[in-house]
Amino acid sequence: MRITAIIANIGAAALAAAPAFGAEVRQELDAISVTATRLERQTAEVPASIAVVGQEQIKDSKMFNLKEALTGTPGVLIDTKNQGYDARLMIRGAGLKANYGIREIMVLLDGVPITDPDSFTRLDFIDTQLIERIEVVKGPNSTLWGANAAGGVINIISKDPLKEQGGTVKVGYGSEETGNLHLSYSDSLGDSWFYSASGSHRRSENSWRGRNEFDTTQVSFAPTMVLEDGTSWATRISYSDANLQLPGSLNQAQFEEYLDSGEAKESDGPWQFSGRYSDTVFVSSKLTKEIGSFEFIPLLFFNHWTHTHPVTGRINESDTYSLGTDIQINHKHALLGREGVATGGVTVRYDDSDTDYFEYADYTATPAGRITAVLSDRKGDLAEQNTRKTLLWGAYLQESLRPAERWLVDMGVRYDMVGFDVSGTVFSDYNWGTGSYVTNPVPEALDVDKTYNAISPRIGVSWEVVEDVHLFANASTGIQTPTDSELTENPDLELVTVQNYETGLKAQGKIWSIDTAVYFSPVEDEVVKVVDGYSTTYVNAGKTEKKGFEASATLRLPKGFQLGATYSYTDYTFDEFSEPVRTGPTVTDVDRSGNTLPYIPTHQYSLSAGYRHACGFKARLETHTWGEYWMDNANTEKYEGYDLVTNLMLGFEKGSWDFTLSVDNLFDDLYSVETTKDTAGKILYKPAAPRSAMARLVYRF
């Protein structure tokens, strides 16, 4: 009888919770975005493709990295080999040429740009345990966010001390000696001052791969002042110590061994000691003040980053300072009797990096001098010294107007200037052909001075056809500069320009939502990575066309069930592209026009099912498929991709306690997250992590 009564009470509680649950769903579907337009607006009214990863999903993820939040977002590919911050991220193909880090995508932290002026973004100083939500704007958005937002914008939004006060303790442990410890506390000092302080430590041995460990320790302090007139001043100060080993790719024999055993202890080639070891100090400060019909939002930010980076052929040691400001002004007004908001501002960002490059000290070589194995990451002779300075400044203006009750129009334009100044001295270099170090009899001077200018217009229209059903269309532009390292390899690289024409549907009901988009993006002078077996170079493709379709749907069923699905279709081709191909000492341009871009699958989809019970039990099952793709620009061979890679979360939440068990790659599928084939015909594989599990306990007080 007692057990029957307990079951009956649980069932009654679940039924009683149903109406409140519907209201919660509605609130979630009416998400607010500030990234696409720099103004707070419901995502349904934004004339652009937006994905919002909400607080509920992030709270139930172990959040070791951005992959756990963004996987399954249509048009977005993200993966990592060691659960750390080495995420490879692409949006609609942008970021394809990045060897590491994030390129061609603007990344914001609480609205503050953390992308360098030359488009490189590091994730090593982001405390993922503090993330509350993530907004993703797909497609070029250079009109508002400037150069190097040609692929899209990601805004990582941290927990706000104004909204969440009290403390949080998180403890996690899992397979591969993976551990997580996080402490945070938020409170107020009187009526005007609020603050939050936090500390996090994450680590994993990842013994399934050789030299694949990572650990990161982060601390932060975020004071916020709020005055009676609504003026706010928010500051964030953080420090991060991050250490990441970077295993290389596998050759065919090594990949087959991995498929048999689930382990990959060695990588192809002699360079077995790659890694990134960094210390970062990041400071940002933003003021928000209203004066009459004007709103002023000036912000300042500073980043000091030092790192040691052993890579193929040499060891980099860099000391980098980045600083900048963005001064935004919003003006509410009326135009032709209709309400509108004008947004304008200026942006300045400056990056100054001093880098020393060293030969490896310990290695074995053949009698001819070819390096066969590196034995440690100890520094040898100085190979190169250089200074890289990048200055970006821009001015933007946008008018947001409601010409009729159900219509909203955004029109904007921006001017950007990006200047590069690279100087240095090369004492020796690694020769890819001979596989050995070559000393220059006379040190070679390095001097690159390049400036790019561009104007980026945009127009977007949103129309509410009937209640909660919106159609949108936009025509936008984006610009992408080469990085300073690409310019060092090829000073003749041109500015990449992107046009984007897009239309879509956003519809939602009480318990369901659907988002769709169709886009066409012609690209001029896209920078393409060329690997010839000896080295990696970068060249401009004449013209590239990107066409695609994206869709996502969510359905909340009675009794706490939720279903979700996403799908994307892509057709990315070179219209005009000649690839330099080496045959012995001779390099010949080979026409690749009409070929499909490598690594981008035609089809990508995800399915998910979730459940929450009033008693506190929760579960989520999701599966992801990344279809086949070409391995090379020549389109000679395809990789099969992966099918139905599945993740599972089980948990229980009651009062201040929250327990979750996360199992990634539930069925232990072994596959390659990226397969490439160079112009010499060599195929390399980057293996995916096998099944892993982690238990996490959270206590909030």
Side-chain angles (χ1 to χ4, degrees):
M1 290 292 294
R2 186 176 181 183
I3 295 177
T4 304
I6 292 174
I7 294 175
N9 288 335
I10 291 175
L15 291 173
F21 181 75
E24 178 185 332
V25 171
R26 182 67 184 187
Q27 184 177 9
E28 181 177 311
L29 296 178
D30 288 337
I32 300 296
S33 169
V34 297
T35 308
T37 62
R38 286 184 177 251
L39 302 170
E40 286 195 359
R41 186 184 295 173
Q42 289 184 353
T43 57
E45 289 192 315
V46 177
S49 293
I50 296 179
V52 177
V53 183
Q55 183 177 6
E56 180 180 296
Q57 180 178 337
I58 289 177
K59 181 169 66 73
D60 290 339
S61 302
K62 63 181 187 289
M63 286 305 295
F64 253 54
N65 51 61
L66 295 186
K67 173 188 174 182
E68 291 157 12
L70 296 180
T71 296
T73 303
V76 176
L77 169 66
I78 184 169
D79 218 318
T80 173
K81 300 180 291 299
N82 63 8
Q83 305 183 73
Y85 52 87
D86 68 322
R88 174 77 183 279
L89 173 66
M90 297 192 306
I91 299 178
R92 292 182 177 176
L96 175 62
K97 63 187 174 67
N99 287 324
Y100 67 91
I102 299 174
R103 311 277 185 173
E104 305 174 77
I105 298 164
M106 176 67 70
V107 182
L108 312 172
L109 180 59
D110 299 319
V112 178
I114 62 172
T115 298
D116 291 343
D118 77 334
S119 88
F120 177 50
T121 304
R122 304 177 299 273
L123 300 177
D124 48 2
F125 65 93
I126 294 177
D127 188 348
T128 55
Q129 301 300 304
L130 291 175
I131 296 176
E132 182 177 72
R133 64 201 298 263
I134 300 175
E135 296 180 9
V136 181
V137 181
K138 293 173 282 187
N141 208 316
S142 291
T143 302
L144 287 179
W145 296 107
N148 304 322
V153 180
I154 294 178
N155 192 6
I156 301 168
I157 301 170
S158 305
K159 295 175 182 177
D160 187 346
L162 296 177
K163 299 177 181 178
E164 183 175 329
Q165 296 188 15
T168 300
V169 179
K170 299 180 185 179
V171 180
Y173 186 77
S175 55
E176 302 291 341
E177 297 297 321
T178 299
N180 174 39
L181 175 63
H182 171 77
L183 305 171
S184 64
Y185 185 76
S186 300
D187 204 349
S188 61
L189 298 173
D191 297 330
S192 300
W193 283 97
F194 302 82
Y195 71 91
S196 65
S198 68
S200 296
H201 178 73
R202 290 171 287 151
R203 62 177 177 83
S204 183
E205 291 189 2
N206 291 296
S207 57
W208 67 277
R209 286 225 66 183
R211 289 191 51 80
N212 197 28
E213 299 178 17
F214 96 93
D215 69 82
T216 179
T217 302
Q218 296 158 315
V219 293
S220 69
F221 180 65
T224 300
M225 180 186 72
V226 179
L227 301 181
E228 291 183 358
D229 64 357
T231 300
S232 66
W233 177 29
T235 299
R236 179 172 295 276
I237 305 167
S238 66
Y239 169 77
S240 174
D241 173 61
N243 303 285
L244 177 71
Q245 296 175 340
L246 294 172
S249 300
L250 308 182
N251 58 36
Q252 185 71 47
Q254 292 168 336
F255 184 65
E256 291 175 358
E257 181 180 348
Y258 153 80
L259 294 177
D260 291 336
S261 66
E263 295 186 343
K265 298 296 186 180
E266 300 293 329
S267 301
D268 182 72
W271 315 102
Q272 302 290 329
F273 286 85
S274 295
R276 292 205 304 275
Y277 314 102
S278 64
D279 291 275
T280 307
V281 175
F282 177 74
V283 180
S284 66
S285 190
K286 179 168 67 173
L287 177 71
T288 303
K289 183 175 181 60
E290 291 189 13
I291 301 177
S293 60
F294 289 87
E295 182 182 38
F296 297 87
I297 312 176
L299 66 88
L300 297 170
F301 49 93
F302 169 81
N303 191 351
H304 180 216
W305 179 56
T306 60
H307 83 152
T308 300
H309 188 17
V311 294
T312 300
R314 58 188 185 177
I315 299 171
N316 306 347
E317 281 197 349
S318 181
D319 189 357
T320 303
Y321 290 87
S322 297
L323 63 155
T325 183
D326 186 283
I327 302 172
Q328 177 180 339
I329 302 174
N330 301 325
H331 175 46
K332 297 180 181 179
H333 62 88
L335 182 64
L336 301 178
R338 307 298 302 183
E339 64 179 25
V341 180
T343 300
V346 295
T347 300
V348 180
R349 286 186 282 149
Y350 178 71
D351 192 76
D352 189 341
S353 179
D354 291 324
T355 306
D356 294 335
Y357 301 89
F358 298 88
E359 299 176 0
Y360 283 86
D362 305 316
Y363 57 84
T364 60
T366 66
R370 179 176 290 275
I371 296 174
T372 55
V374 172
L375 306 177
S376 77
D377 57 5
R378 188 169 67 90
K379 294 182 297 184
D381 293 336
L382 180 65
E384 180 182 334
Q385 289 180 309
N386 69 44
T387 299
R388 301 166 185 249
K389 299 178 181 180
T390 309
L391 174 64
L392 178 152
W393 72 268
Y396 57 92
L397 180 64
Q398 173 183 267
E399 173 65 33
S400 296
L401 185 67
R402 292 187 179 273
E405 184 176 348
R406 293 180 177 269
W407 290 82
L408 192 150
V409 179
D410 293 328
M411 298 176 290
V413 66
R414 181 182 180 114
Y415 173 80
D416 274 300
M417 185 282 292
V418 186
F420 294 87
D421 181 6
V422 181
S423 61
T425 304
V426 181
F427 304 102
S428 67
D429 205 353
Y430 175 71
N431 186 295
W432 292 80
T434 63
S436 61
Y437 292 118
V438 177
T439 301
N440 295 329
V442 177
E444 178 185 346
L446 183 65
D447 186 11
V448 178
D449 190 351
K450 193 93 171 182
T451 300
Y452 299 96
N453 301 273
I455 296 175
S456 305
R458 176 182 181 273
I459 183 170
V461 179
S462 176
W463 173 39
E464 187 177 20
V465 184
V466 295
E467 184 178 4
D468 294 329
V469 177
H470 292 77
L471 291 175
F472 76 89
N474 73 64
S476 57
T477 55
I479 58 172
Q480 179 66 40
T481 69
T483 66
D484 52 15
S485 58
E486 292 165 359
L487 281 172
T488 303
E489 294 287 338
N490 182 2
D492 296 326
L493 288 173
E494 299 292 336
L495 182 72
V496 181
T497 57
V498 182
Q499 300 177 48
N500 185 67
Y501 307 97
E502 183 172 7
T503 186
L505 169 72
K506 301 179 183 183
Q508 61 185 41
K510 204 168 190 180
I511 60 171
W512 58 272
S513 68
I514 297 175
D515 278 13
T516 66
V518 180
Y519 63 90
F520 169 61
S521 295
V523 183
E524 296 276 350
D525 295 318
E526 181 155 21
V527 175
V528 179
K529 180 170 64 174
V530 176
V531 182
D532 65 4
Y534 291 99
S535 63
T536 299
T537 57
Y538 298 91
V539 298
N540 288 112
K543 293 181 180 179
T544 306
E545 281 192 358
K546 298 180 179 180
K547 294 175 283 188
F549 168 75
E550 296 165 355
S552 63
T554 302
L555 176 63
R556 297 271 191 166
L557 300 172
K559 309 297 184 182
F561 288 95
Q562 175 183 330
L563 301 177
T566 69
Y567 172 76
S568 67
Y569 166 84
T570 63
D571 180 11
Y572 298 169
T573 58
F574 296 114
D575 269 10
E576 298 176 7
F577 174 42
S578 293
E579 182 177 31
V581 177
R582 181 186 298 275
T583 305
T586 305
V587 176
T588 305
D589 286 340
V590 179
D591 187 18
R592 305 299 194 201
S593 301
N595 286 4
T596 300
L597 273 66
Y599 190 43
I600 311 296
T602 303
H603 305 284
Q604 172 201 6
Y605 63 86
S606 298
L607 302 171
S608 65
Y611 175 71
R612 287 180 177 273
H613 195 277
C615 70
F617 175 76
K618 55 187 176 181
R620 180 178 174 84
L621 186 72
E622 57 185 24
T623 186
H624 308 285
T625 294
W626 188 254
E628 64 179 10
Y629 56 83
W630 293 105
M631 300 180 188
D632 57 355
N633 296 327
N635 290 181
T636 59
E637 192 171 352
K638 283 186 174 182
Y639 180 67
E640 60 187 2
Y642 55 82
D643 296 315
L644 302 176
V645 174
T646 302
N647 302 325
L648 172 67
M649 183 278 295
L650 299 174
F652 187 84
E653 188 173 358
K654 193 71 172 179
S656 300
W657 296 92
D658 186 359
F659 173 80
T660 57
L661 173 65
S662 300
V663 183
D664 294 338
N665 196 355
L666 178 65
F667 301 111
D668 203 22
D669 293 313
L670 302 180
Y671 59 96
S672 173
V673 298
E674 181 179 9
T675 306
T676 59
K677 184 177 183 180
D678 65 24
T679 57
K682 185 174 184 178
I683 299 176
L684 292 174
Y685 304 85
K686 293 183 179 178
R691 179 172 51 232
S692 64
M694 182 174 179
R696 187 194 65 172
L697 181 65
V698 179
Y699 176 67
R700 297 179 176 88
F701 61 93

